[in-house]
Amino acid sequence: MADLVSHPDEVRVVSRRFGQGAASLERYLELDGYKAVQKALAMEPDAIINEVKNSALRGRGGAGFSTGMKWSFVPKQSAKPKYVLCNGDESEPGTCKDRLIFEHDPHAVIEGVIIAGLAVGATSGYIYIRGEYRYLSVIMQKAIRDAYAKGFLGKNIFGSGRDFEVYWHGGAGAYEVGEESALMESLEGKRGIPRIRPPFPAVVGLWGGPTVINNAETLASVPHIILGGADWYAKLGPPKNGGTRLFCLSGNLAKPGVYELPMGYSLKKMIYEVGGGIPDGRELKAVVPGGSSTPCLTSDEIDINMDFDSVAKAGSMLGSGGVVVVDDAQCIVKFALRTMKFYQHESCGWCIPCREGTDWLKKTLQRFHAGGGLKKDIDNMYYLSENMLGRTFCPLGDAAAMPTMGFIKKFRQEFEDHLDGRPCPYQKEGAIEQLPVMA
Amino acid sequence: MKFSDEFEQRFAEMVPHYPTKRSALVPTLLYAQDEVGFLSDDVIAEIAARLDLTELEVRNVISYYSMLTTKPRGKFNVQVCTNISCMVRGGEEILHHCATKLGIGHKHTTADGLFTLEEVECIGACSWAPAAQVNYDFHENLTPEKMDGILDNYKKKAMQ
Amino acid sequence: MADLTLTVDGKKIAAPAGTLLIEACKNVGIEVPSFCYYPNLSLQGACRMCLVKVEKMPKLQTACTTVVGEGMVVTSDSDEIRQARKSMVEMLLGNHPLDCPVCDAGGECELQDMTFSYGAAESKFMEAKNHKDEQQWSPVVFFDRPRCILCYRCVRVCGEAMDVWALGVQNRGVSSVIAPNKQDHLECEECGMCIDICPVGALTSGAYRYKTRPWEMKHVGTICTHCGDGCKTTLGVRRSDTGMEIVRGDNRDKSGTNSDFLCIKGRYGFDFANHEYRLTQPLIRKDGKLSPATWEEAFELIGKKFAEVRDRDGGQAIGVIGSTRTTNEESYLLSKFARLVLKTNNVDHHSTADFPAFAAALRDKPEATASMADVFAAPAILLIGNDPTEQHPLLAYQIRNNVRLHRSRLYVVNSRPIKLRRQATVFAQVSEDNGEAAFVDFLSKNNPAPEPLGMSGTTTGVLEKLRETLRSVKDLLVVFGSEIQGISVTSLIAALPQAKFICLADYANSRGAADMGLYPDLLPGYHAIAGRSPLHEEWGVPDTAGLPTSEMFTAAKENKLKALYVVGSNPIGRLNLNPFGFSKAFLVVQDMFLTETAAIADVVLPAANAYEKTGTFTNTCGDLQLVKKAGDVSGTKADFEVIVRIADAMGFDIKKLIPFGGGMHADMGQSRGAQSGEADRHAVWLEMHGLEPKLSPLDPMAILDEIQRLVPGYDVSRMNLLAGNSEHTRLDKTGAAVPQQPGPILPANDTLFTSGTLGRYSRALNSVIEAHEIKPAEVAAD
């Protein structure tokens, strides 16, 4: 449904089958589908884990943790059943990549789930898809049914003598559920409140059993690694940042879209070449490099490579691959407000600093943007963010605090321009005065 | 409380997928809501009984998820995203346009019961912004004019 | 397991493996603040107040979720930590209303204390606070949403500790809210635990809200006067026009065996004391009508009449009915007064358990009784009969939480599907036709289970396996209700020689009334009238056994019983007797209210209740505890004083009744001035060693001395008792006599919300009964 784009710099791995009808099992098989899982069935679990480790595949959900390492934490022996859980609760603002995978290549996810299961000794997996993606749930449910019908799932998969079950599970609207322990709570039919860690999900996860939780893109990458080999995959990107990545280019760009580019691709080129640059003769003001929770980069800071380590060095995060480009017609205070409004709305409310901090920040930003700001508000907002950072129950508090601190640090002048009752300098002629406030 | 055969089939298929009954709760609630329009007291009581939960537990869960509602909504739930990627491309204008055209605000329903308007958080259409969902259908790369056409089409659909 | 060593703030400390860091710190006197952490409830990690620095960890860690590790190096106080805590308080106060001046919790609020310790003096918050209107969830529970800091203690205590699960969390983010199970109101056990555990003024009590400021109250920790479990309740009292008014009951004093627990009655059921129908002056029947009189007139009349009957018709023409809610000292004194002064053995009380049979079966079995504390620790429990959730709320709480926290195994044998079956490893439902007694019979024999015994899916196989298990399980605790009486008690105790036992009786001092010999043929300590004991020698007791209540009634009808003295009991109401049966006898009733019995009396004496006097109570397990005077209603007198005054009015030598005036020479010291503390300490020491001066014949401690000396099992540590602890009394050395013609054992059948006469006059309890649309028992008992 969503339009596909292309660019010559793209290296198509995960998106190889996009636009080719691979949601149908027959077509998927023609395009090398379910070959990797058959190869993995002949491998020792440790060999699979090592292959993934060596591929330098890092979690595509946002944290960028080594996938192979994560798998290796799952105990070999367990009294309780082990599980694989695919995180398809894609909700980070700026991110729309898993959507394309589910739409165009659902079997790759299923295949990735089975391989992860073989690696850690699980015999069932769940694919959790956010509630808003209903049409993708329909596609995924059909893909699962088709795979069962062919004997790729269920008892004795591929005649290997081994069993593997895959189930679909749907959400119902909650960003917080993208956090892995909250995801498990949600799957267990509860409110999506994160769990106390340790124990980590790899040891005590779904229904108390050891659980591997990976993002959909991560799991969809796995079959390609098994087939193409760890070396090939690792070398697609810089050291320790294996492979390619689906970058979701959005915002003020001429050619927004989801592009698969090698890890370490230049951000500058991403904006000006792949994304077609800033339209309407506007200039770049800022770019959010990895979804709304990552601190923005200014136009002076875009000369970096888009891999986990380089972006971290630049003081931000590669995150979920959502690159949101902001032109100079946009008001940063308003952008910060909209970002905070999101976190305030999505905070699960469990812990004080996130629940109260996001509400306070949203209120202050709202007043500030409406022209009622005081100079001390700027420091106060920074103080609040600073005191949320690292002290919340789960990373959502950090996700709200970090970008706010970035906006204030990098665009302080723009905040000060709102002071003394001046109207927002970026207010468009005849703009809407008051947006409805979400309850 | 009577659900459709389709719901019953789905429910019967889903529950055995999990080691605990209540795990089926969230998707079951959403499917029930799709069918009834909202999660009425009867629906809550029925689902609670089926999954061995108290009604309180079910309500605790319902109120957590933003797609679930215990209040009736219009036939078409117009959900306009105004999050960052949409906002910088005019998402707020789309929302405002809908509000003016339908004559209702956030989470309100038109008098004819056709439309409910809702400002929503990121729906995963960032690269095709601004975007909206009407019930489960995505509408992307929106302009106010395009939105007019979309709303008119739904209205027509309802008339048929 | 060996202790681990770790360093906190440079101090080496030791703690067993598995200990939470917050507890390890607390144990060595290092306070780590918290809102959401609460011992014995599940961990939350939500309030972030307990953040500490753990070396090698990049971020501050929550001490409430961190388990101690060998060699761990912890900093609990630093600039960074203080700043973190300060910001948590700041953020909390952002949306918290600052209505502290009118908030019930003002002055005893954990948020206030935390703000004082860590908070900022300046306020950064300038935004509008989120608001929601206050809601009433039940007659006794109010919820003020904006004050809630979402620590989830209430949700957990209601669910995990009470197994009620009436509270939940709804919405999310800053809209998160604690919600009751019926959308806008609660349907629950109304225990009020949620209110007590609330660190702020979000949950407030309908009985207390807006009544007073906390610092205007004096707090007295005493024993609850309702059921037989012996919970400690802290009564907040305040000066009133008529003495001292009790304005609040809670369990801020967590030193009792009930620690965190109180049920609705212990928490709200004190308001009978100030009921408008409370008797506050003696009444004497004149011209057929009860008319106000002075105490002196009343004592003179009673003294004259009692002496007249005794001297003319003999002691057997006088009857005495005691109470299950007076103190041990009063029951003992009444028992002694009857025998020595009135010269009668016509003494009885309302029995709700067969303690004589119990004591007889336990003779020479020194370790065979259990205390209420044991119920929380026993690895296996057999519960036969009773519904503790309704009738013994603390016992139910102890059992439930023993199962939850210590994985104790619970075996329930009951003819009804009682709530505690939810915690049971095995629930055997037995026939409603004396199934519990039949089970005991089956347990004591080796025959196959009889067919009609098991009900509702309890097969003979289940029963036989249960019998096998019970016989083999070590450290078994057996708790049984009034379904088990007489020979069944004997059989049960013989069938399980390895076990400890608790016999359930219903009123606050039912056990004490039995132990203190309010029986026609037993003296204190279950000594037979016909037998010998040091008591016989000291007292001098009439030879023949007296009459039980029912026979006293017959004798009165036949004009053989000419005087009856009823202390804190309502036999007419309870036994549904024809009031005209007593019309010929001279009837004296001591009570708080004009009960059915008091209404036909010749003299009615306004009595103080257990919250208005000092003494001791023995709970159903045999745990002896101190009762302290909290409230005071002018015009009333403690039963103790009334008995003494009647004896005096009869011309009896009081020194022979009360061993007062003994003890050491007392330095009364100064109550004020530089030396006052010295004198007070001296007095405390004297008291603790049972050497208080006892200058007055009205001092119950003088009788306690005698009880401790003469009643087997009561020779417990006076020191511990006075320090507010419970002391378990044992039954292995009693007289072990059983009544030749045992009177009926009638359970009170109170529910969670009723409490005999006390309940009838409690507005709080009645409001809950109305809200729950529950009918109280047709005939209110004592």
Side-chain angles (χ1 to χ4, degrees), chain A residues 261-339:
Chain A
L261 295 162
M263 280 288 210
Y265 192 83
S266 154
L267 175 59
K268 200 172 192 169
K269 275 171 76 180
M270 214 181 272
I271 296 170
Y272 289 102
E273 291 176 24
V274 181
I278 319 289
D280 307 327
R282 288 283 175 182
E283 294 292 319
L284 176 71
K285 181 185 269 185
V287 54
V288 176
S292 63
S293 56
T294 59
C296 68
L297 300 169
T298 64
S299 52
D300 300 336
E301 296 171 323
I302 59 167
D303 217 350
I304 57 167
N305 297 333
M306 291 290 273
D307 60 70
F308 288 104
D309 302 322
S310 307
V311 183
K313 229 166 108 185
S316 187
M317 283 157 62
L318 188 62
S320 60
V323 180
V324 187
V325 174
V326 182
D327 72 21
D328 61 356
Q330 309 297 329
C331 169
I332 285 294
V333 176
K334 189 172 173 193
F335 197 87
L337 166 60
R338 188 62 190 83
T339 304

Side-chain angles (χ1 to χ4, degrees), chain A residues 173-175 191 196-198 344-357 359-360 363-365 367 372 374 376-377 380 383-384 387-388 390-394 398 439, chain C residues 35 43-49 51 59-60 65 80 83-84 86-88 90-92 94-95 123-130 148-150 152 169-176:
Chain A
Y175 168 74
R191 294 163 56 81
I196 292 169
R197 282 163 303 165
Q344 190 262 4
H345 185 251
E346 298 299 331
S347 165
C348 79
W350 188 249
C351 73
I352 294 172
C354 177
R355 178 180 75 234
E356 301 295 338
D359 189 52
W360 189 338
K363 283 173 178 169
T364 305
L365 280 163
R367 172 170 54 79
L374 300 174
K376 70 172 188 181
D377 287 330
N380 200 15
Y383 168 88
L384 277 172
N387 279 287
M388 287 163 68
R391 292 177 189 160
T392 50
F393 187 61
C394 85
D398 294 347
Chain C
F35 288 118
L43 303 179
Q44 312 289 288
C47 76
R48 321 304 288 172
M49 286 302 290
L51 289 172
K59 295 182 196 173
L60 297 180
T65 62
E80 184 193 13
Q83 174 53 43
K86 174 182 156 182
S87 67
M88 295 308 151
E90 280 181 306
M91 286 192 244
L92 262 187
N95 272 320
S123 171
K124 297 187 178 76
F125 193 81
M126 296 179 48
E127 319 304 332
K129 287 175 191 268
N130 301 338
C148 173
I149 62 167
L150 292 163
Y152 319 110
V169 188
Q170 291 182 359
N171 304 336
R172 69 180 188 213
V174 78
S175 308
S176 299

Side-chain angles (χ1 to χ4, degrees), chain C residues 414-415 427-432 451-459 463:
Chain C
N414 207 301
S415 54
F427 168 55
Q429 190 162 352
V430 294
S431 153
E432 282 188 29
E451 208 44 78
L453 182 54
M455 301 288 290
S456 307
T458 304
T459 60
L463 291 167

Side-chain angles (χ1 to χ4, degrees), chain A residues 47-62:
Chain A
I48 303 174
I49 293 176
N50 279 334
E51 195 71 2
V52 175
K53 254 190 209 168
N54 295 336
S55 76
L57 172 66
R58 291 168 69 166
R60 299 301 193 235

Side-chain angles (χ1 to χ4, degrees), chain A residues 2-3 83 93-96 99-100 126 130-135 141 167-174 176 186-192 207 248-253 256-258 292 324 330 334-335 338-339 341-342 345-346 348 428 432 435-439, chain B residues 10 13-14 16-20 22-27 30-31 34 53 57 59-61 63-68 79 81-85 87-90 92-93 95-96 105-107 119-129 133 136-138 140-141:
Chain A
D3 301 334
Y83 300 98
T95 317
C96 47
R99 191 178 149 189
L100 293 184
Y126 293 85
R130 69 179 294 193
E132 291 86 343
Y133 287 177
R134 171 57 63 86
Y135 81 102
Q141 284 168 342
Y167 307 112
W168 161 89
H169 188 91
E176 175 63 0
S186 179
L187 179 49
E188 290 182 16
K190 301 171 193 162
R191 294 163 56 81
W207 304 291
C248 318
L249 305 192
S250 73
N252 303 120
L253 282 173
V258 178
S292 63
V324 187
Q330 309 297 329
K334 189 172 173 193
F335 197 87
R338 188 62 190 83
T339 304
K341 193 166 151 186
F342 169 72
H345 185 251
E346 298 299 331
C348 79
K428 283 172 215 154
I432 312 141
L435 288 169
V437 178
M438 274 191 201
Chain B
R10 222 191 274 278
E13 193 195 329
M14 196 154 55
H17 289 175
Y18 310 97
T20 61
R22 83 170 285 166
S23 301
L25 179 60
V26 175
L30 197 52
Y31 282 127
D34 290 345
L53 295 168
E57 285 172 295
R59 285 181 194 279
N60 295 346
V61 169
S63 61
Y64 178 89
Y65 293 93
S66 50
M67 291 174 72
L68 301 177
Q79 304 150 78
C81 175
T82 59
N83 211 309
I84 48 174
S85 298
M87 182 183 81
V88 299
R89 292 179 78 94
E92 290 170 329
E93 282 80 359
L95 177 66
H96 183 68
H106 176 59
K107 285 201 175 173
E119 180 187 14
V120 294
E121 295 298 357
C122 183
I123 53 174
C126 318
S127 293
W128 310 282
Q133 265 188 297
Y136 291 109
D137 301 336
F138 279 89
E140 295 162 341
N141 299 312

